[in-house]
Amino acid sequence: MARKILLEHAHIAGIETFDTYRKNGGYEALEKAIKTMTPEAVVEEAKKSGVRGRGGAGFPMGMKWGFLAKPEGVPRYLVCNADESEPGTFKDHYLMKTIPHLLIEGMIISSFALGANKSFIYVRGELMYVIQILEKAIAEAKAKGFLGKNILGSGYDLELVVHPGGGAYICGEETALLESLEGKRGNPRNKPPFPAVKGLYQSPTVVNNVESIANMVWIINNGGEAYASIGIGRSTGTKLISASGHIRKPGVYEIELGLSVDEFMNSDEYCGGIREGHHLKALVAGGSSVPIIPARLVYKTANGEDRLMSYESLSDGGFATGTMLGSGGFIVFDETACIVRNTWNFSRFYHHESCGQCSPCREGTGWMEKVLHRLEHGHGHMRDIDLLVDVAKKIEGNTICPLGDAAAWPVASAIRHFRDEFEWHVTHPAEATKPGAVYMGEAVLI
Amino acid sequence: MEDIKPQLFKITFDGIEVEVEPGTTIMQAARRIAEADASQGHLVPPAMCYYKPLEGSGGKCRACLVRVAQGSAKDTRPMPKLVPSCITQVQDGMVVENVTNPAVLEERKAIVEFLLLNHPLDCPICDQAGECHLQDFAYEHGSSNQRYEEERRTFEKHDIGPYIQLHMTRCILCYRCVYTADQITEKRVHGVLGRGDAAEISTYIEKAIDNDFSGNVIDVCPVGALTDKTYRFKNRVWFSKPVDAHRDCDKCSGHVTLWYRGEEVIRVTARKNEWGEVQEFICNTCRFEKKKTSDWVIEGPTKVVRSSVVSANKYRADTVKKPDFALRLANSQYKPIDDSRPFITDDETIRQLSIENNKKANERSLAENSNN
């Protein structure tokens, strides 16, 4: 069995309650941090651990904490981004509902490290029952003296607020989240200034993902160096992967970074292989916003090396032959999946979720969706394929926030790797529109 | 005692060196160059959402994207993505490529295309024709081809009061009117509803916009989405004669432009600078209720500086520039900038050098034409 850091105690009945969590070593990290360490020492452990942000971008968390401005007399905030809503990603949701005190403990430790006396957990509004679980956990921690005024007699105060979001994907983008938290329309802000300088209420703010913050508990208990020894290269520690699609055992798995994609996909401990009688066709490794890769690039990189579940290996070769680990939304497609329909589906999502603030994203996402709709429904032209590539290129990198990239990458990569399937939809419109009809070209099957 | 001058930042914008104060944006630096030499006005990046008098505006339309080829003298690396010049502050030693970078021109063409996707091409019947920033932007930076085959987005018409006509179908979501209402009126009753390309400017349950300064949203709208109900369909802007005038007003400065058709004042607007930005916001009384010459003290004809059909064939025949083919040629033959050249800082020298350069270019062009 692989080592588990976050889900080690997840199987224990009643772990969502304070008492059971405490009996199983809960809040020991907090006691250690608050009684024996300085905030700077906690930040140092985070830096030593090499843990990277688990929300998708993979930015080193300790370095992000190091950027936090510390002006005199200005409050600092820690905001936990629990607005997980990328299609195919559901790991934070699972973590929060299964073992909520892990997040609460991580929040208290991280807030202590950053000098924040008020922290927020911004949860997607649809997950009301998760919000209730978190609020119950906060009340328990407060009643036991682990949260609130003078935590464990240390003199450190922390108020923790669970804030439901309105249910917009864009509010998962850190600056849009802060706007939403301030009670405004969830539009991303132009950067700079970055939240570390001017964030929530114009004060220095750190925004971290649920999984990133939860990792701090193990890091404090065992030390940053111990965490850094897990994983491979600059991809340290473990990662929660939400696996879905045409596999035998969909679910949330905790893996050590560096595990081979082959083992993750096919071993019984994890996904259990492609569903019986079918072949792998494509993989989206890190949530719907990352580039899709064809079967031939799933287990091996373009250089013929084993593809690993790590930030570096998955992105090997850039977008030409690689993808991204992203948020860990592992979506598997077998040969029954229509790539054009799937791309249209993703595109429909990003069109619907674009905030509409900047022109390339507002207009471009809708344009791509409409062209893909035409292609999928047998009304496309050959020129539409190049048009899609061009529009995606014009959006990518030119928008205020990364939603433009998230909309462009799936389209551009699908055409890059499955162009013949798009062409088939143009040349065989009647067949393509039949229910369940998919392109069975040899080039895309392994 | 020696005067302490603030340290200035030297930047290179399209090969032209200029010194500006720290905190200046790239757009403002470009405007400084154009203000020193009017012939360089075409170098200023276009702005559809940026509006200097409105705090927080800019960064949305992406029309002003430029390439930063060198971040600063200390960090000589280029910036990885194109950056919006209207909100990006300069750094000492920054090298910016605007019309000298093909990628910028290509993206600008794309932005025109994006903005025109859902914007109705109804210029012949639109009241903004002749003073529409999108029209100018499309003419200067766009392509004559249209690749969009889908149905355009349309909106239901809303009645938002007696003075302002909202034609949402023409809106490009620049947010200028929202910022205006936010910043200069006491209560804002309108804003952006919805998301993505379904987002719209609207009022809360079709409420009227009825505060004293609401008319300013008409002036800041770059397209024909918000127009003056008291002026609509009365005249084409290029047939009217703008005249500067003022009056004693207890609500605003009373400095306006009167638009005449013959002897009749058909429209009153705030005065705008050469970048099309309102200099002083005016009240609704001045704008909608004072339409007699006797209400005003006339100052004289408005000096229209910006390239505009309003000034064409009227004051200066040369204000409408022809497409600059020489510039496009220069783009294709662009070479990296030689940073060993000394910086020229005073406006007068920049102006003189620019005049000389233009003169040389004209002579070259004439010589080539005569050879052909």
Side-chain angles (χ1 to χ4, degrees):
Chain A
M1 288 284 283
R3 178 163 17 185
K4 287 194 168 49
I5 285 178
L6 300 167
L7 302 182
E8 189 184 355
H9 303 300
H11 62 284
I12 298 171
I15 194 70
E16 72 280 3
T17 62
F18 180 87
D19 292 338
T20 313
Y21 181 72
R22 182 78 173 134
K23 264 183 225 159
N24 287 280
Y27 288 102
E28 281 173 11
L30 172 61
E31 281 186 296
K32 183 181 174 185
I34 221 156
K35 288 180 178 169
T36 67
M37 296 171 79
T38 60
E40 292 74 23
V42 178
V43 174
E44 200 49 43
E45 289 304 318
K47 283 183 181 166
K48 275 187 207 162
S49 72
V51 61
R52 293 167 69 167
R54 304 297 198 221
F59 193 80
M61 188 162 87
M63 197 188 283
K64 193 175 193 178
W65 286 10
F67 292 147
L68 188 73
K70 293 175 180 168
E72 283 292 316
V74 179
R76 279 166 248 156
Y77 295 105
L78 170 67
V79 179
C80 172
N81 186 347
D83 192 65
E84 180 181 64
S85 46
E86 178 123 331
T89 307
F90 42 88
K91 44 125 190 153
D92 291 344
H93 172 192
Y94 178 77
L95 187 69
M96 287 189 290
K97 77 161 188 180
T98 312
I99 183 161
H101 280 285
L102 191 69
L103 174 62
I104 307 299
E105 189 181 357
M107 281 297 287
I108 304 167
I109 294 169
S110 306
S111 301
F112 170 70
L114 298 167
N117 295 111
K118 187 163 188 172
S119 297
F120 297 86
I121 305 175
Y122 184 95
V123 189
R124 189 163 176 81
E126 282 96 328
L127 304 179
M128 196 44 82
Y129 80 103
V130 172
I131 293 168
Q132 286 163 356
I133 290 171
L134 287 174
E135 280 180 341
K136 191 172 166 228
I138 287 172
E140 284 177 327
K142 211 169 184 178
K144 302 284 182 181
F146 287 85
L147 189 58
K149 294 272 180 203
N150 194 20
I151 296 172
L152 301 175
S154 65
Y156 173 64
D157 305 333
L158 176 67
E159 188 185 347
L160 197 51
V161 178
V162 179
H163 187 100
Y169 172 71
I170 188 61
C171 291
E173 197 276 336
E174 61 174 359
T175 57
L177 187 155
L178 296 177
E179 287 282 295
S180 170
L181 199 51
E182 288 179 8
K184 294 183 247 170
R185 190 182 154 84
N187 281 352
R189 297 174 185 170
N190 283 299
K191 290 190 269 190
F194 289 89
V197 180
K198 275 188 179 178
L200 188 65
Y201 308 122
Q202 299 291 299
S203 302
T205 304
V206 166
V207 183
N208 278 145
N209 175 258
V210 172
E211 190 188 341
S212 319
I213 291 171
N215 267 317
M216 281 311 293
V217 175
W218 197 92
I219 291 170
I220 294 302
N221 271 329
N222 300 277
E225 279 163 11
Y227 189 90
S229 68
I230 307 168
I232 184 168
R234 287 175 56 233
S235 301
T236 60
T238 64
K239 174 90 187 80
L240 293 182
I241 303 288
S242 32
S244 63
H246 298 145
I247 45 174
R248 294 184 206 202
K249 289 167 62 190
V252 176
Y253 297 102
E254 182 169 7
I255 59 155
E256 279 187 47
L257 286 168
L259 181 79
S260 75
V261 175
D262 190 2
E263 193 181 342
F264 180 69
M265 183 98 88
N266 295 311
S267 72
D268 286 337
E269 190 181 348
Y270 300 110
C271 302
I274 308 296
R275 61 180 177 157
E276 199 159 354
H278 293 278
H279 309 281
L280 175 66
K281 183 174 186 179
L283 171 69
V284 171
S288 67
S289 64
V290 308
I292 191 169
I293 50 172
R296 70 187 161 81
L297 293 169
V298 170
Y299 300 128
K300 296 279 180 192
T301 63
N303 297 329
E305 292 164 0
D306 283 345
R307 179 86 75 184
L308 309 178
M309 296 291 285
S310 73
Y311 291 94
E312 289 78 20
S313 181
L314 279 169
S315 61
D316 188 71
F319 290 165
T321 58
T323 176
M324 292 162 78
L325 180 61
S327 57
F330 196 84
I331 313 171
V332 181
F333 300 98
D334 69 20
E335 82 286 353
T336 62
C338 171
I339 296 297
V340 179
R341 192 174 310 150
N342 174 64
T343 311
W344 168 51
N345 202 25
F346 282 173
S347 195
R348 198 164 47 151
F349 174 79
Y350 290 107
H351 174 207
H352 184 259
E353 297 296 334
S354 167
C355 79
Q357 202 183 186
C358 61
S359 336
C361 181
R362 181 183 64 239
E363 306 295 348
T365 51
W367 191 3
M368 287 196 299
E369 194 230 309
K370 287 169 190 168
V371 175
L372 283 162
H373 178 277
R374 268 199 284 125
L375 279 165
E376 169 58 20
H377 291 85
H379 305 293
H381 312 292
M382 231 25 136
R383 63 174 182 272
D384 287 338
I385 301 167
D386 285 328
L387 175 68
L388 283 171
V389 174
D390 192 55
V391 174
K393 196 172 135 201
K394 298 287 162 54
I395 298 172
E396 187 190 338
N398 294 318
T399 50
I400 296 176
C401 78
L403 195 143
D405 299 343
W409 288 338
V411 176
S413 59
I415 297 174
R416 186 183 306 126
H417 297 302
F418 298 95
R419 193 182 179 99
D420 42 2
E421 189 156 346
F422 282 83
E423 289 177 357
W424 182 77
H425 273 71
V426 176
T427 52
H428 300 76
E431 282 175 63
T433 49
K434 280 179 196 162
V438 288
Y439 175 67
M440 303 293 276
E442 286 299 312
V444 293
L445 293 179
I446 286 183
Chain B
M1 221 176 124
E2 203 178 326
D3 281 349
I4 300 169
K5 289 182 181 172
Q7 188 203 349
L8 296 178
F9 284 171
K10 293 174 182 175
I11 76 153
T12 308
F13 184 90
D14 275 344
I16 300 171
E17 294 99 348
V18 65
E19 273 197 333
V20 291
E21 296 78 21
T24 306
T25 61
I26 296 172
M27 171 81 83
Q28 290 305 326
R31 287 185 177 182
R32 282 279 305 277
I33 294 168
E35 279 156 14
D37 176 6
S39 70
Q40 305 295 353
H42 62 284
L43 293 183
V44 179
M48 299 303 297
C49 69
Y50 173 71
Y51 207 73
K52 198 182 172 205
L54 299 173
E55 197 185 327
S57 67
K60 294 180 178 63
C61 68
R62 319 303 278 182
C64 67
L65 289 176
V66 292
R67 168 124 171 103
V68 175
Q70 176 174 306
S72 67
K74 282 182 191 162
D75 184 356
T76 56
R77 290 174 301 172
M79 288 191 183
K81 295 176 180 176
L82 302 183
V83 299
S85 59
C86 62
I87 53 164
T88 306
Q89 295 188 356
V90 299
Q91 296 291 323
D92 195 21
M94 186 183 258
V95 177
V96 182
E97 295 170 353
N98 175 40
V99 296
T100 48
N101 190 310
V104 173
L105 296 177
E106 197 58 30
E107 189 55 33
R108 216 161 267 171
K109 199 196 279 182
I111 299 295
V112 172
E113 192 170 27
F114 285 135
L115 289 176
L116 291 179
L117 279 196
N118 282 305
H119 183 88
L121 299 177
D122 61 349
C123 311
I125 57 152
C126 174
D127 267 310
Q128 195 80 3
E131 49 187 14
C132 172
H133 292 204
L134 183 57
Q135 208 175 28
D136 294 345
F137 181 40
Y139 175 72
E140 287 160 9
H141 300 280
S143 159
S144 55
N145 292 333
Q146 169 67 279
R147 296 186 294 175
Y148 189 65
E149 297 175 17
E150 274 63 40
E151 197 177 330
R152 282 164 201 271
R153 170 194 63 200
T154 53
F155 292 91
E156 293 278 313
K157 280 186 181 169
H158 293 297
D159 181 8
I160 59 167
Y163 290 136
I164 305 164
Q165 177 65 50
L166 170 61
H167 194 325
M168 185 53 220
T169 305
R170 290 182 190 143
C171 179
I172 57 164
L173 269 300
C174 70
Y175 284 65
R176 280 180 183 178
C177 61
V178 179
Y179 283 112
T180 306
D182 236 355
Q183 291 170 25
I184 71 162
T185 65
E186 283 176 5
K187 52 171 188 174
R188 175 161 73 84
V189 292
H190 85 284
V192 179
L193 307 180
R195 217 163 44 196
D197 59 5
E200 59 176 309
I201 297 289
S202 187
T203 55
Y204 179 62
I205 319 180
E206 300 210 7
K207 215 173 174 180
I209 298 179
D210 63 353
N211 57 66
D212 275 344
F213 283 80
S214 63
N216 290 294
V217 299
I218 299 166
D219 281 347
V220 301
C221 183
V223 294
L226 291 161
T227 48
D228 182 345
K229 268 190 179 173
T230 66
Y231 169 72
R232 277 163 65 81
F233 306 126
K234 283 197 173 168
N235 202 9
R236 307 307 296 188
V237 66
W238 53 89
F239 293 136
S240 53
K241 187 175 126 190
V243 171
D244 285 350
H246 67 266
R247 64 180 279 271
D248 278 338
C249 178
D250 54 357
K251 292 182 201 160
C252 68
S253 70
H255 288 86
V256 301
T257 301
L258 305 179
W259 297 77
Y260 276 93
R261 179 178 59 194
E263 298 300 313
E264 183 193 1
V265 177
I266 52 170
R267 181 170 70 149
V268 182
T269 65
R271 288 188 200 171
K272 292 186 176 180
N273 65 14
E274 62 182 297
W275 311 111
E277 291 164 349
V278 167
Q279 289 168 334
E280 286 168 305
F281 291 107
I282 60 168
C283 68
N284 282 3
T285 310
C286 288
R287 184 186 300 273
F288 298 118
E289 290 167 24
K290 302 293 175 188
K291 292 205 175 169
K292 288 181 193 157
T293 304
S294 57
D295 293 329
W296 299 95
V297 178
I298 306 295
E299 295 169 22
T302 302
K303 191 182 172 196
V304 181
V305 183
R306 192 166 170 271
S307 300
S308 166
V309 290
V310 179
S311 61
N313 307 319
K314 199 170 280 177
Y315 304 107
R316 286 173 55 198
D318 61 339
T319 46
V320 177
K321 289 181 78 69
K322 290 176 184 169
D324 202 336
F325 296 111
L327 203 58
R328 287 181 199 172
L329 184 68
N331 294 339
S332 64
Q333 296 172 355
Y334 175 66
K335 289 174 189 167
I337 295 150
D338 177 9
D339 284 328
S340 62
R341 288 176 296 174
F343 275 93
I344 301 159
T345 53
D346 71 299
D347 289 349
E348 186 51 31
T349 315
I350 294 172
R351 202 175 75 82
Q352 288 303 333
L353 281 174
S354 171
I355 291 167
E356 279 174 35
N357 284 339
N358 282 343
K359 201 175 162 190
K360 281 180 198 165
N362 286 339
E363 281 167 2
R364 263 201 312 275
S365 174
L366 284 171
E368 281 169 15
N369 284 341
S370 62
N371 288 341
N372 293 338

